[in-house]
Amino acid sequence: MSSPFLIGADWVQTESVLQVMSPQAGTLVSEVCLGDASHLRRAIDAAQHAFETTTRRQPAFERAGVLTRIAAAIEERRPEFTRTIMREAGKPVTLADAEVSRAVGTFTMAAALARETPGHLLDVDAFSPGNGHVGLARRFPLGVIYGITPFNFPLNLVAHKVAPTIASGNTIVIKPSPQTPLTALLLARVALDCGLPPGQLNVVCCANEHAGVPLEDDRVKMVSFTGSAAVGWKIKAASGRRRVALELGGNAAAIVHEDAALEYAVATLATGAFAYAGQSCISTQRIFVHAPIYAAFREQLIAYVRERIKSGDPSNPHVLVGPMINPAALARVRGSIDAALAAGATLAHGGGVKGNCLEATILEVPHQQFDVCQEEAFAPIVSLQSYESFDDALQLVNASRYGLQAGVFTRDLERAWRAYDRLDVGGVLINQAPTFRTDNQPYGGTKESGFGREGVRYAMEEMTELKTLIMRPV
């Protein structure tokens, strides 16, 4: 029987089904019931009803209690979540398990933040008209949120929309990626079992052609989208006056200066570039190396990748580079590699294909005018280019239409601060790969990488409206 999806308290069965295929084996993992426009409208009905009757007035301790129970239930069912992520996303098992840990932390953090009063007192008597008045400002939930999630983190990126929704008293309709819906459905079942009010979380699996239906409904007060830049900006254009948060693509860069801890930089960037076949929007894609150490860095990186970065079956705990999400993604990146080589790039390592896996690939490039540099690769591929001065490196990083995160490897505090000041990205990481993220940081980008921030506290701010109360006792 096909897996149903969740609307309100009902698990909905349909005759139409979506086949979830294994990225590793190309075989059928499961079938999921496929909804249509009418199901999305029903989900909005359920979400609006839950908001009006329950969640907007739900006390903080109840919201915190539900979130705590969800975190505990995910931990209790860790093997099931890990296995589901690995099977439908092709994520190496150690990374899938790490994603489960992150989701536990995300819900735990949301439980703590749900107990905090989101507001502050106002010193209205700082100005003469305010004499004799008292004031406060507090955040109130918006209402129905529409969340669209990608395939690459099918648990934790759903959690980053669901957990702040619950913590702030909103409701949400989730449209998971058609490639990885099983994990989102498992999370929904867990949440409902933990006492989540029916209708606060709705998960509707549907074809992408129906994804715009909630944008036609004025009851949807916010859209939170994680995915490609091309789709994200279309959603923004279609969203009218409603609030939108976009976490889009990137081509994350790292700078390695001559004073860097070289062995550490090599190991950190290799993992940041190739883990999960580079299928992360902050996967390290471009590395700029100071000319005096370029040859040494290149040699050490190739040796490290050859010896330590294993590709293949994601169920093998030693594998870091699993399969691409589907054959079309593999064909796309192979075409980009071939185009770069034909235009003057040099293959330093990798490029081979086995099954649906592309081995870790290192390209040396004389400039940035290649698709593998300018566009989001979303694959286990990294480009190397040398630079002469640190300011040159900063300019190379900024010469991109994306701006999610950037890494800088240096022991010099002035350079670190200069990078923080000048790089046009949402996050600057010193002596860390741009792939690094903690779940409590304000996470998001600039330029075509989107706007708005995730991280539970910051997502709660996006999902709430600040309202002022002024009182004059008489």
Side-chain angles (χ1 to χ4, degrees):
M1 179 180 294
S2 301
S3 299
F5 53 83
L6 178 64
I7 297 178
D10 299 326
W11 290 97
V12 179
Q13 291 276 354
T14 62
E15 293 184 1
S16 298
V17 296
L18 169 70
Q19 292 187 328
V20 181
M21 308 301 292
S22 164
Q24 171 65 16
T27 55
L28 182 67
V29 173
S30 182
E31 289 186 333
V32 173
C33 291
L34 197 60
D36 56 25
S38 67
H39 295 103
L40 285 167
R41 295 188 186 99
R42 282 175 52 192
I44 296 169
D45 291 342
Q48 180 68 20
H49 179 74
F51 179 69
E52 294 293 349
T53 61
T54 306
T55 69
R56 69 185 305 173
R57 299 179 183 87
Q58 191 177 29
F61 76 90
E62 289 186 4
R63 287 183 267 123
V66 169
L67 288 160
T68 299
R69 292 193 294 274
I70 293 173
I74 294 172
E75 179 62 52
E76 182 179 346
R77 299 176 72 167
R78 172 183 291 271
E80 184 178 3
F81 274 103
T82 298
R83 184 173 61 253
T84 303
I85 294 169
M86 181 189 70
R87 292 179 68 211
E88 71 172 348
K91 180 170 287 190
V93 64
T94 54
L95 301 180
D97 185 69
E99 182 175 347
V100 177
S101 294
R102 288 182 61 186
V104 171
T106 298
F107 278 99
T108 301
M109 179 169 36
L113 291 171
R115 296 182 185 275
E116 297 182 4
T117 301
H120 56 276
L121 294 174
L122 299 174
D123 297 321
V124 291
D125 62 353
F127 297 89
S128 58
N131 186 36
H133 296 72
V134 294
L136 62 88
R138 185 171 183 177
R139 290 193 166 274
F140 287 78
L142 296 176
V144 180
I145 312 293
Y146 179 36
I148 306 175
T149 58
F151 75 82
N152 55 336
F153 287 84
L155 177 58
N156 199 43
L157 289 185
V158 175
H160 269 282
K161 301 189 189 306
V162 173
T165 291
I166 298 170
S168 57
N170 288 289
T171 60
I172 194 164
V173 177
I174 288 284
K175 179 201 170 298
S177 166
Q179 295 154 314
T180 56
L182 299 173
T183 308
L185 292 172
L186 178 57
L187 176 62
R189 191 171 294 277
V190 164
L192 205 60
D193 290 346
C194 287
L196 190 72
Q200 186 163 29
L201 170 61
N202 308 270
V203 179
V204 180
C205 303
C206 65
N208 289 334
E209 64 190 76
H210 298 305
V213 169
L215 306 182
E216 302 167 1
D217 195 317
D218 290 340
R219 294 174 299 172
V220 175
K221 301 303 182 183
M222 177 182 172
V223 180
S224 179
F225 172 81
T226 303
S228 73
V231 175
W233 293 112
K234 288 180 181 178
I235 288 173
K236 173 64 172 65
S239 291
R241 294 187 298 272
R242 66 170 53 86
R243 194 170 297 184
V244 178
L246 301 177
E247 197 275 278
L248 307 178
N251 56 357
I255 298 169
V256 184
H257 206 64
E258 65 178 342
D259 65 335
L262 197 57
E263 289 186 8
Y264 167 77
V266 164
T268 303
L269 290 172
T271 300
F274 302 123
Y276 187 30
Q279 294 174 121
S280 166
C281 52
I282 46 176
S283 176
T284 306
Q285 187 172 326
R286 301 179 294 151
I287 303 177
F288 302 108
V289 185
H290 200 191
I293 61 167
Y294 181 85
F297 180 89
R298 175 190 182 279
E299 180 181 354
Q300 290 188 34
L301 179 64
I302 292 171
Y304 186 93
V305 171
R306 184 180 294 120
E307 296 168 8
R308 303 288 293 274
I309 305 297
K310 307 300 181 185
S311 61
D313 187 343
S315 66
N316 183 339
H318 301 293
V319 163
L320 189 70
V321 184
M324 300 292 290
I325 188 63
N326 55 40
L330 176 60
R332 172 188 56 79
V333 73
R334 273 300 319 169
S336 296
I337 293 172
D338 291 342
L341 295 176
T346 302
L347 182 65
H349 178 80
V353 173
K354 185 175 182 180
N356 201 38
C357 293
L358 172 67
E359 65 180 325
T361 300
I362 303 170
L363 293 176
E364 292 183 274
V365 297
H367 52 74
Q368 289 293 292
Q369 304 309 310
F370 298 94
D371 280 352
V372 292
C373 300
Q374 290 293 313
E375 303 301 324
E376 183 176 42
F378 228 64
I381 178 172
V382 69
S383 67
L384 300 183
Q385 183 178 345
S386 66
Y387 66 87
E388 295 298 328
S389 74
F390 191 70
D391 286 342
D392 290 340
L394 297 178
Q395 291 178 8
L396 286 167
V397 173
N398 282 339
S400 169
R401 60 193 181 96
Y402 297 112
L404 265 177
Q405 297 197 146
V408 179
F409 290 79
T410 180
R411 299 178 185 180
D412 184 273
L413 182 59
E414 188 279 330
R415 287 195 195 95
W417 191 259
R418 201 185 333 163
Y420 181 51
D421 180 59
R422 296 188 187 178
L423 290 177
D424 297 330
V425 295
V428 176
L429 297 97
I430 305 301
N431 295 320
Q432 184 54 269
T435 323
F436 181 85
R437 175 186 177 183
T438 63
D439 292 297
N440 62 341
Q441 75 178 75
Y443 174 75
T446 63
K447 299 187 283 189
E448 291 192 36
S449 289
F451 56 85
R453 294 294 181 264
E454 290 196 338
V456 179
R457 180 186 300 276
Y458 307 97
M460 288 173 68
E461 291 180 0
E462 301 281 351
M463 294 176 174
T464 52
E465 191 74 66
L466 194 64
K467 186 187 297 187
T468 300
L469 175 67
I470 303 292
M471 296 187 294
R472 182 181 181 184
V474 294

